[in-house]
Each structure stands twice: as C-alpha cells, then as structure tokens.
Amino acid sequence: MRQLRRVGGTPIEEAPLWALAILASLLALVFFPALVGLAEGAGIASAGRRGLFALAAGLIALLVVAGNAMQKP
C-alpha cells in the first residue's frame, strides 16, 4: 500500500500546542465572515451580535482543530 504521509512533515496529531493555537486562530478568521454572512442571509444579524459571532467562530475553530488533533494516525 502506498504511504500517504509526506516525508519531513508534521501531521496534526503530532503538532505542538502553539501550532494548533495558530491554526485555530486562522480558522476562526475564516469562520467569522462565514457565520456573519449566513446570519445576514437569514436576517438575524445585527451590529450588536458581532461579538457573539466572533465567539462562535472561535469555538467552532477550536472544536475543528481539537477534533482533528485527537484523531488516531
């Protein structure tokens, strides 16, 4: 069977905590406009809820990174 792991790379399961934190913050920056756009489309967004959407985006990013980091190789 062909090996899919790159030589010299670090899989997410073995990544240090600081790298996981950087990945989660970058994903939160992607999820925030997506959540705001979905809320605008649904008609439930307002200027006062931007902090709630930022918190939700951070939580979703944290869950995605933690879930992937806990996978078995």
Side-chain angles (χ1 to χ4, degrees), residues 28-48:
L29 290 174
V30 172
F31 291 149
F32 176 69
L35 287 176
V36 171
L38 287 171
E40 289 284 342
I44 59 172
S46 67

Side-chain angles (χ1 to χ4, degrees), residues 44-72:
I44 59 172
S46 67
R49 291 189 179 172
R50 302 275 188 213
L52 180 63
F53 290 127
L55 184 64
L59 181 63
I60 292 170
L62 184 64
L63 290 174
V64 167
V65 170
N68 282 323
M70 288 192 269
Q71 294 290 324
K72 297 192 185 217

Side-chain angles (χ1 to χ4, degrees), residues 7-22:
V7 176
T10 302
I12 192 167
E13 300 90 11
E14 299 172 7
L17 187 59
W18 62 267
L20 295 175
I22 291 171

